[in-house]
Amino acid sequence: MWHLLALGCIFFPGLFMLSRRYLRRNYPALTDGDIVTISTSIVSSVQAVMAVFSGYIITSSCNHVMKDRHWISKDYVLFGTPYMAYDIYAMYLCYWHKHRAKQENGQHSTSFNIVTGFLKGNILIVLHHLLLLLIFLPITMFYRKGLGDFFLGCLYLTELSTPFVCFAKILSQLGKQNTLLYKVNGLIVMVTFFLCRILVFPYMYWAYGRQYGIAAHRVPFHIPRHCTVAIAILMAPQVYWLTLIIRKAVRCVKSVKSE
């Protein structure tokens, strides 16, 4: 079982290094910062596709939302968990390259300032990753007693928007923010994010209620309180990130109208 954890520790950093090598060799015009950002986006997209595929298999295979089990649910938790630790490092590396570019332009910062700046600017997503590493993993592996694979599959499906978010980063890195492709992709980001990272939570309540003959709005009163608290903790940053996406879309629309 633990060999999957080791495989994940090799796969994600390995894919990142291979992507960097490929881009450096075949696209010499790209800067180191561009290469790191694009490589990070590639790895994130691959992880997201695997998670969504796993989530689809699990949710479509479970007729009973609590009792039915699928082997992929635990296996992908073990394989995908190292991605969270890798991604924190990858995000810091992207941030470091941005400050390196500023230093080359005469804006000097100490290593401590770079680390603290990274944490201040990315504290929410870093905490989100640490929460999944330190709490989600042990609960999923040891404390849920094999129950709720369907809901675990639903959580995997939240990654559907990630490839489009990553594609937007790549287009932005290449200076394609004003293209039609970037705007269409932005619309897809907003729709998929809302469907898979916001509506998925009330959907899980609805699915549980349908299984046990309970109205969806009554489900929070029929399940353990810590489950509702956990869902609220997971959903809160998603709502915040959706507001950022909407604000960015509004700014984009306003800039087009002003032209």
Side-chain angles (χ1 to χ4, degrees), residues 160-165 167-168 171 180-197 242 245 249:
L160 181 62
S161 63
T162 300
F164 302 105
V165 173
F167 188 50
L171 290 174
L180 177 61
L181 178 61
Y182 183 85
K183 294 170 184 175
V184 171
N185 183 74
L187 179 61
I188 296 173
V189 167
M190 197 157 41
V191 172
T192 54
F193 199 99
F194 177 70
L195 290 176
C196 298
R197 288 185 179 259
L242 179 62
I245 292 172

Side-chain angles (χ1 to χ4, degrees), residues 234-248:
L234 288 173
M235 187 176 179
Q238 314 302 330
V239 173
Y240 172 72
W241 288 324
L242 179 62
T243 60
L244 296 182
I245 292 172
I246 293 174
R247 287 176 186 174
K248 186 175 181 179

Side-chain angles (χ1 to χ4, degrees), residues 4-247:
L4 291 170
L5 189 65
L7 183 60
C9 290
I10 296 171
F11 178 79
F12 296 110
L15 180 59
F16 175 73
M17 289 186 289
L18 287 174
S19 299
R20 287 182 68 179
R21 180 175 296 183
Y22 173 81
L23 291 170
R24 186 175 289 115
R25 181 174 298 175
N26 293 278
Y27 298 92
L30 294 176
T31 66
D32 288 342
D34 293 334
I35 290 173
V36 167
T37 300
I38 294 173
S39 298
T40 301
S41 297
I42 291 172
V43 177
S44 296
S45 297
V46 170
Q47 188 280 142
V49 169
M50 291 190 294
V52 170
F53 185 68
S54 299
Y56 173 76
I57 292 175
I58 296 167
T59 53
S60 61
S61 301
C62 294
N63 295 317
H64 196 287
V65 299
M66 288 299 296
K67 298 178 181 179
D68 285 355
R69 304 185 65 181
H70 198 286
W71 61 270
I72 290 180
S73 58
K74 271 193 173 183
D75 284 6
Y76 193 77
V77 166
L78 285 170
F79 176 75
T81 293
Y83 168 80
M84 298 301 166
Y86 145 81
D87 198 43
I88 292 175
Y89 169 75
M91 288 188 296
Y92 172 75
L93 196 59
C94 292
Y95 187 86
W96 182 84
H97 274 283
K98 288 181 181 178
H99 274 264
R100 183 185 176 187
K102 290 181 180 179
Q103 288 178 345
E104 290 175 353
N105 292 327
Q107 301 179 24
H108 297 286
S109 298
T110 64
S111 297
F112 178 78
N113 289 336
I114 293 175
V115 172
T116 54
F118 166 73
L119 291 176
K120 287 179 181 178
N122 299 275
I123 187 63
L124 191 59
I125 193 166
V126 169
L127 288 176
H128 178 261
H129 281 21
L130 290 176
L131 177 71
L132 294 177
L133 271 173
L134 302 177
I135 299 178
F136 180 75
L137 174 61
I139 288 177
T140 302
M141 295 302 300
F142 305 113
Y143 296 111
R144 64 188 183 98
K145 299 177 181 179
L147 297 174
D149 278 14
F150 172 83
F151 299 112
L152 190 58
C154 288
L155 293 178
Y156 288 154
L157 291 175
T158 61
E159 291 290 340
L160 181 62
S161 63
T162 300
F164 302 105
V165 173
C166 292
F167 188 50
K169 289 181 180 178
I170 293 174
L171 290 174
S172 179
Q173 202 71 24
L174 299 176
K176 305 293 184 180
Q177 299 97 318
N178 296 321
T179 63
L180 177 61
L181 178 61
Y182 183 85
K183 294 170 184 175
V184 171
N185 183 74
L187 179 61
I188 296 173
V189 167
M190 197 157 41
V191 172
T192 54
F193 199 99
F194 177 70
L195 290 176
C196 298
R197 288 185 179 259
I198 304 297
L199 288 188
V200 68
F201 294 103
Y203 170 75
M204 288 192 287
Y205 281 109
W206 174 83
Y208 183 95
R210 185 184 63 171
Q211 185 75 63
Y212 290 97
I214 305 169
H217 68 279
R218 300 294 304 171
V219 170
F221 304 101
H222 288 79
I223 62 176
R225 185 175 299 176
H226 65 267
C227 293
T228 299
V229 172
I231 289 175
I233 292 173
L234 288 173
M235 187 176 179
Q238 314 302 330
V239 173
Y240 172 72
W241 288 324
L242 179 62
T243 60
L244 296 182
I245 292 172
I246 293 174
R247 287 176 186 174

